[in-house]
């Protein structure tokens, strides 16, 4: 299932805020619309955000001419950069597509536009290929009969297609292994319940939904063989930012001797950051905590803290599954090798 595609000069996305109740495809015709869709999580998940932003940048300059293309490129770039701070794929994708346009700029505005669109298309195709490779490498870690826990949604919906953490599960399932998934519901926005459970059920992969606070009990009972999650940004020492609650799962996994893996493309690794303390953590609207799908569940005026991500220290991570292979500690060296190869 492709989560986004470009057609007739528009970015088509599945509106993820409506799932699983409604399956609606939305047409985004401008950079402003793409920025709004990213901000409101209509399109979400690190790789999907990056590719959507790349197309958004193209939409920002598509109607420009020799006079205003440079200004429009910069304005659109800044607007898209301001949408969400944690997933580094956003910044990586904008840098890459902007540079493609700048490189072709001496040949005129039309050449710059064509180069940018071409780069965005390549990025979208690469993402699917990358996820399949992550799936292949990750599959080697999965044994027949495994029960795998995942948190949030790192599936086809969070990427262009196939998924990263869910890609590993998908590859194991496709290779004929019996795998069963426990999906954390993932409060506050329920990406696990609404998206992962929906996606896996749709694809015929056995899945059981649990609330976030049940994971430890299941591990203690020996019901979980492996945890695999996605990532929004990985510092060069392996510290990993992912959806809030991931850190708790990692601590529980360590306590119960359950291997904890992160699956992510190299575009999620930020080699500029020494460790996880440098990763910017997005804080979101209080209503996400005080309400569930519009229904108030807390008193009016209550104080709320709503960080959207947390950071899991490298020492809690058994391996990082990338499209170049599985990196093991010390990550500073193993990740660098993948960038050099
Ligand atoms: O706030 P979200 O839904 O964009 O958060 C998504 C996650 O935390 C995913 O696990 C991460 O982006 C990896 S997606 C392959």
């Amino acid at each position: 299932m492709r989560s986004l595609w470009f057609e007739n000069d528009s970015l088509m996305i599945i509106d993820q805020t409506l799932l699983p109740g409604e399956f609606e495809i939305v047409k985004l015709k401008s950079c402003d619309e793409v920025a709004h869709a990213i901000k409101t999580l209509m399109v979400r998940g690190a790789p999907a955000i990056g590719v959507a932003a790349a197309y958004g940048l193209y939409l920002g300059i598509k109607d420009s001419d020799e006079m205003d293309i440079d200004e429009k490129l910069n304005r659109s770039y800044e607007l898209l950069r301001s949408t969400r701070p944690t997933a580094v794929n956003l910044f990586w994708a904008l840098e890459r597509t902007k540079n493609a346009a700048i490189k072709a700029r001496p040949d005129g505005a039309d050449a710059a536009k064509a180069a940018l669109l071409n780069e965005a298309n390549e990025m979208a195709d690469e993402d699917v290929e990358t996820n399949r490779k992550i799936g292949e490498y990750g599959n080697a870690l999965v044994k027949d009969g495994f029960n795998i826990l995942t948190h949030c949604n790192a599936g086809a919906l969070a990427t262009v297609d196939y998924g990263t953490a869910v890609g590993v599960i998908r590859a194991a399932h496709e290779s004929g292994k019996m795998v069963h998934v426990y999906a954390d519901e993932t409060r506050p926005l329920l990406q696990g319940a609404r998206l992962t459970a929906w996606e896996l059920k749709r694809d015929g992969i056995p899945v059981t939904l649990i609330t976030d606070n049940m994971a430890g009990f299941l591990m203690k009972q020996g019901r979980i063989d492996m945890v695999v999650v996605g990532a929004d940004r990985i510092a060069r020492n392996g510290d990993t930012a992912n959806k809030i609650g991931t850190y708790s799962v990692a601590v529980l996994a360590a306590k119960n001797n359950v291997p904890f893996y992160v699956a992510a493309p190299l575009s999620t690794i930020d080699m500029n950051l020494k460790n996880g303390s440098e990763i910017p953590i997005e804080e979101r609207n209080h209503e996400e905590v005080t309400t569930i799908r519009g229904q108030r569940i807390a008193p009016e005026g209550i104080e709320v803290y709503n960080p959207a991500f947390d950071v899991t220290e490298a020492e809690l991570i058994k391996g990082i599954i990338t499209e170049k292979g599985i990196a093991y500690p010390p990550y500073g060296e193993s990740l660098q090798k993948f960038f050099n190869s």
Side-chain angles (χ1 to χ4, degrees), residues 4 11 13 17 28 31-45 48-57 79-85 87 90 94 282 284:
L4 56 86
L11 176 62
I13 60 160
T17 61
L28 305 172
C31 175
D32 283 14
E33 285 179 6
V34 173
H36 175 259
I38 295 173
K39 234 183 155 76
T40 56
L41 272 54
M42 287 164 76
V43 55
R44 42 128 322 264
I49 291 170
V51 175
Y55 283 118
L57 194 60
L79 173 67
L80 290 160
R81 276 178 70 89
S82 71
T83 51
R84 298 194 72 189
L90 172 71
L94 286 170
E282 177 181 13
R284 294 185 62 88

Side-chain angles (χ1 to χ4, degrees), residues 117-136:
L117 181 58
N118 187 47
E119 196 71 20
N121 285 332
E122 271 181 20
M123 212 176 254
D125 292 343
E126 271 172 28
D127 184 64
V128 184
E129 192 51 36
T130 295
N131 295 334
R132 287 195 178 271
K133 285 190 190 138
I134 290 173
E136 258 172 54

Side-chain angles (χ1 to χ4, degrees), residues 41 44-47 49 84 151-155 158-159 164 191 230-232 242-243 282 308-309:
L41 272 54
R44 42 128 322 264
I49 291 170
R84 298 194 72 189
H151 190 74
C152 193
N153 172 266
T159 58
T164 55
Q191 287 92 334
D232 289 85
N242 190 49
K243 178 55 54 197
E282 177 181 13
F309 302 95

Side-chain angles (χ1 to χ4, degrees), residues 13 38 66 71 88 98 108 125 183 191 212 231 255 275-276 311 325:
I13 60 160
I38 295 173
E66 296 297 338
E71 185 225 317
V88 75
K98 188 184 182 204
D125 292 343
Q191 287 92 334
D212 299 330
K255 164 86 180 155
N275 60 51
V311 176

Side-chain angles (χ1 to χ4, degrees), residues 68-205:
D68 62 6
I69 187 168
D70 303 309
E71 185 225 317
K72 280 190 171 161
L73 183 66
N74 284 330
R75 192 151 36 89
S76 308
Y77 172 82
E78 291 304 335
L79 173 67
L80 290 160
R81 276 178 70 89
S82 71
T83 51
R84 298 194 72 189
T86 304
V88 75
N89 305 61
L90 172 71
F91 308 98
W92 168 85
L94 286 170
E95 216 55 43
R96 187 170 144 182
T97 40
K98 188 184 182 204
N99 285 340
I102 289 171
K103 205 164 153 219
R105 183 68 183 97
D107 298 326
D110 286 344
K113 289 183 214 175
L116 201 163
L117 181 58
N118 187 47
E119 196 71 20
N121 285 332
E122 271 181 20
M123 212 176 254
D125 292 343
E126 271 172 28
D127 184 64
V128 184
E129 192 51 36
T130 295
N131 295 334
R132 287 195 178 271
K133 285 190 190 138
I134 290 173
E136 258 172 54
Y137 284 116
N139 185 14
L141 303 166
V142 180
K143 292 205 180 86
D144 193 32
F146 257 23
N147 286 288
I148 305 173
L149 179 87
T150 191
H151 190 74
C152 193
N153 172 266
L157 288 165
T159 58
V160 175
D161 204 344
Y162 207 72
T164 55
V166 169
V168 171
I169 294 163
R170 209 182 284 287
H173 175 80
E174 283 170 3
S175 71
K177 290 176 191 165
M178 291 292 293
V179 284
H180 166 259
V181 180
Y182 282 104
D184 276 352
E185 68 171 349
T186 318
R187 272 287 283 154
L189 291 182
L190 304 172
Q191 287 92 334
R194 294 190 303 104
L195 308 177
T196 302
W198 177 80
E199 191 179 320
L200 291 173
K201 192 161 184 288
R202 181 181 178 275
D203 295 342
I205 301 175

Side-chain angles (χ1 to χ4, degrees), residues 296 298-303:
R296 173 163 283 281
E300 293 273 1
I302 192 76
E303 284 292 323

